[in-house]
Amino acid sequence: MSKPFVRIVGASLIGTTIEWYDFFLYTSAAALVFNKLFFPTADPLTGTLLAFLTYAIGFIARPIGGLVFGHYGDRVGRKRLLVLSLLLMGGSTFAMGLLPTYAAIGVGAPLLLTALRLVQGFALGGEWGGAVLIVSEHGSPERRGFWASWPQCGAPGGNLLATGVLALLAAVQSDATFLAWGWRVPFLLSGVLVLIGLWIRLSVTESPVFLAAQAKAAERAEPHVPVVEVFRNSWQRVLVTIGARMAENVSYYIITAFILVYVTTGLGMAKTVGLNAVMIGSAIHFISIPLWGALSDRLGRRPVYLFGAVAMAVWAFVFFALLNTRSPGLIIVAAAVGLTLHGAMYGPQAAFFSEQFPTRVRYTGLSVGGQLSSIAAGAVAPLIATALFQHYGSTLPVSLYLVGMCAITIIAILAARETRGRSLAEPETVDSPVPAGR
């Protein structure tokens, strides 16, 4: 593989890691800090629910970001939009580290926090599609599953970084110091990370597949409105994308976000137990994602994705059984195995979704389909899980909720066609035949 392509993969990975670091930092802080500093109530679970409401608002902005970034990404290019998304995400996260708390300015504090969360969600909605596309459209069909999975590693990479920084601060600071000012450090650190990410991203080249499609569109001189074309000609693929993400999204946020609530509030254990489990699980997740992506190059996208959804439905019950042992070691196993199984869906996802849409609308279709699912899945997953646990005093309803999402994903994958080996160049689309022998 050429050095320029490796640089493109590295730029996408580092960029998505920084973006997800910012996004997941808020997730962890919502479970551990914001419920106390921005939503102080007598009931800890109620404060957590309010904090997770602002967390969910970020997801509402993601489809809007996907729509806007996708539209312009399909018109002017992938690279420019990736730079803009990084600036928006990093700037809003840095500003969170400077926010006054509820004790200082009252209701203005959660309002400002919510506004910045909206900017985060808007930026991330445009980031993901562009990052996976610029790798997918540079690489060869034979190893697309493997290479396109590397930007996906930005999710566990960012989560590992965010959780690691929070765990380190929690270990060296008292709870009072951490609540007073220590929680601000990882948010302010985002400013440094963004400068590094920009330096790397500005060095990559635009997608050759996009440039070729853009040149053909200029020759035809036809009006090009990507979002209209997507919903007119590819709405079935958008539905497949939404359904396929349900189990992947919900399981991820239950394993990485709700675990922090359940370990501290439900089991009465130290927050470091949950943080360490997520941190170690994220490291294993980071390694497993490219392996699942490579396996999809050999077996196909659908078989690997289906295995992940079915296995996650089973793990939904084992996960909480291990947590309920109150053994730190078994809690780590619960998170690590759960995230490894999640990787079976997340690894092939970038290539699978990229192969669903033609180049003219690929950024829009990938982003809108992927981010619409975030409202019904990731946005409400910790909120629903916390509410179910609060109402029933049991994790069984949470497990059943996850099983239901896995069922939706299984149906979506069964309804989709296998896409392994398809060309992403115009005029090929998902309806083009798979090359012989594959």
Side-chain angles (χ1 to χ4, degrees):
M1 198 58 63
S2 65
K3 286 185 178 180
F5 181 67
V6 173
R7 188 185 307 120
I8 289 167
V9 174
S12 293
L13 171 59
I14 292 173
T16 52
T17 298
I18 294 169
E19 296 259 10
W20 282 112
Y21 165 82
D22 292 345
F23 204 76
F24 287 135
L25 184 60
Y26 187 100
T27 305
S28 297
L32 300 172
V33 178
F34 291 162
N35 56 334
K36 300 181 181 69
L37 297 180
F38 290 87
F39 306 95
T41 68
D43 180 8
L45 273 179
T46 301
T48 301
L49 282 171
L50 291 172
F52 275 146
L53 276 173
T54 61
Y55 154 88
I57 285 174
F59 282 83
I60 295 173
R62 281 170 64 171
I64 301 173
L67 184 64
V68 173
F69 278 79
H71 174 81
Y72 288 102
D74 282 327
R75 289 176 64 89
V76 303
R78 297 17 176 158
K79 177 180 173 178
R80 297 180 187 177
L81 277 298
L82 284 174
V83 171
L84 178 59
S85 68
L86 190 61
L87 283 172
L88 287 174
M89 176 66 83
S92 59
T93 305
F94 183 83
M96 284 181 183
L98 301 175
L99 281 180
T101 64
Y102 187 91
I105 62 171
V107 71
L111 289 177
L112 288 172
L113 182 66
T114 301
L116 291 174
R117 180 62 174 174
L118 284 169
V119 177
Q120 271 193 336
F122 180 81
L124 189 61
E127 158 69 22
W128 179 71
V132 300
L133 280 188
I134 204 163
V135 175
S136 296
E137 292 179 343
H138 271 90
S140 64
E142 293 77 15
R143 300 196 67 194
R144 184 180 297 128
F146 173 71
W147 288 113
S149 69
W150 279 101
Q152 302 286 79
C153 293
N159 203 0
L160 179 63
L161 188 58
T163 308
V165 171
L166 285 171
L168 176 63
L169 290 172
V172 300
Q173 293 179 328
S174 65
D175 288 345
T177 303
F178 183 73
L179 284 174
W181 60 268
W183 66 272
R184 298 182 183 275
V185 174
F187 285 88
L188 298 176
L189 179 62
S190 176
V192 178
L193 297 177
V194 166
L195 292 177
I196 297 172
L198 283 175
W199 175 67
I200 296 173
R201 277 208 168 162
L202 288 170
S203 68
V204 304
T205 57
E206 183 57 85
S207 158
V209 173
F210 167 77
L211 292 175
Q214 188 183 46
K216 289 182 180 179
E219 291 174 4
R220 293 193 295 264
E222 297 174 351
H224 180 36
V225 186
V227 67
V228 175
E229 293 183 35
V230 162
F231 285 106
R232 177 187 297 157
N233 304 319
S234 304
W235 61 268
Q236 300 99 326
R237 300 163 199 169
V238 172
L239 290 179
V240 166
T241 303
I242 292 172
R245 289 207 75 194
M246 297 302 286
E248 176 266 306
N249 242 218
V250 170
S251 63
Y252 189 78
Y253 290 104
I254 285 179
I255 294 171
T256 60
F258 179 69
I259 188 176
L260 300 178
V261 177
Y262 186 63
V263 166
T264 55
T265 306
L267 300 178
M269 301 179 72
K271 62 177 176 287
T272 53
V273 174
L275 287 170
N276 289 337
V278 173
M279 187 165 54
I280 294 172
S282 295
I284 296 173
H285 194 206
F286 186 95
I287 297 170
S288 72
I289 287 174
L291 300 179
W292 290 114
L295 189 62
S296 77
D297 285 327
R298 297 178 62 86
L299 303 181
R301 317 297 185 216
R302 293 171 75 241
V304 178
Y305 212 121
L306 278 172
F307 168 78
V310 173
M312 186 60 72
V314 176
W315 197 251
F317 300 98
V318 181
F319 177 73
F320 287 109
L322 292 175
L323 294 188
N324 289 335
T325 64
R326 287 184 165 84
S327 166
L330 291 179
I331 291 174
I332 290 172
V333 171
V337 175
L339 288 173
T340 300
L341 296 177
H342 173 271
M345 295 180 281
Y346 205 53
Q349 188 181 90
F352 184 49
F353 288 178
S354 297
E355 292 159 350
Q356 296 291 320
F357 301 95
T359 306
R360 282 169 57 85
V361 297
R362 187 169 293 130
Y363 200 148
T364 302
L366 185 72
S367 297
V368 172
Q371 301 308 330
L372 279 176
S373 63
S374 69
I375 295 179
V380 295
L383 190 65
I384 290 176
T386 303
L388 287 172
F389 175 65
Q390 185 182 41
H391 182 74
Y392 292 101
S394 168
T395 58
L396 179 60
V398 181
S399 298
L400 294 174
Y401 162 55
L402 179 51
V403 169
M405 297 300 103
C406 290
I408 293 174
T409 291
I410 290 169
I411 293 171
I413 299 300
L414 290 175
R417 295 181 61 187
E418 180 57 62
T419 58
R420 173 176 60 112
R422 296 189 188 280
S423 170
L424 295 183
E426 297 281 21
E428 301 252 8
T429 69
V430 73
D431 298 318
S432 305
V434 177
R438 297 195 62 81

